[in-house]
Amino acid sequence: MFDDLPPDLARLLTLRVWHAMWLQRIDTKIAALQKREAEQEQGRKNRPQEPDWIVELGIGNGRPPIEVHVGGCYAAGKRRRPVPRDEARRLLTSGVRACTHCKPDAQLRILD
């Protein structure tokens, strides 16, 4: 039936042990990957919702606002805070620069 297997009992038993070890390694890897995927899904579920508007803050005393962004803008810097729609409109009308990538002034319908 399986002519390619070793002919003696000792080698067959060794082969069986090796295969059992491989199956254990594969099962361990599968369990680790399933755990990782479950943790990633849990992280996606628990992630806070992205804000609608972001103000990028400057450096220094008081950290003045320097630019307004739409919530998911990739160009927003690391120094930022979420703001409500009304504050984003107020900042833009008071002279704070609008991001040229996400164009919050167009979305808020603020004309120059």
Side-chain angles (χ1 to χ4, degrees):
M1 179 151 111
F2 294 107
D3 296 328
D4 59 339
L5 293 175
D8 60 300
L9 183 60
R11 286 193 285 177
L12 282 172
L13 290 173
T14 301
L15 190 61
R16 184 176 190 281
V17 168
W18 287 353
H19 282 283
M21 287 173 26
W22 269 103
L23 283 175
Q24 182 182 7
R25 286 181 65 192
I26 290 170
D27 289 344
T28 302
K29 184 70 171 189
I30 287 171
L33 289 174
Q34 286 175 335
K35 180 180 177 186
R36 182 176 179 208
E37 285 181 3
E39 289 171 349
Q40 288 176 343
E41 182 62 29
Q42 183 76 16
R44 279 190 288 274
K45 286 181 182 176
N46 292 338
R47 183 176 295 149
Q49 189 175 9
E50 214 171 67
D52 291 333
W53 308 101
I54 297 172
V55 62
E56 186 174 347
L57 303 171
I59 300 174
N61 192 16
R63 297 173 28 155
I66 57 172
E67 197 167 43
V68 178
H69 299 270
V70 175
C73 182
Y74 68 90
K78 292 185 179 192
R79 294 177 316 274
R80 58 182 169 182
R81 67 177 169 87
V83 293
R85 179 183 181 92
D86 294 337
E87 186 174 351
R89 288 182 61 88
R90 184 187 61 75
L91 288 169
L92 288 170
T93 56
S94 68
V96 175
R97 185 176 57 205
C99 175
T100 57
H101 298 284
C102 62
K103 299 182 179 19
D105 51 348
Q107 291 192 21
L108 290 170
R109 302 193 197 303
I110 297 175
L111 302 174
D112 285 337

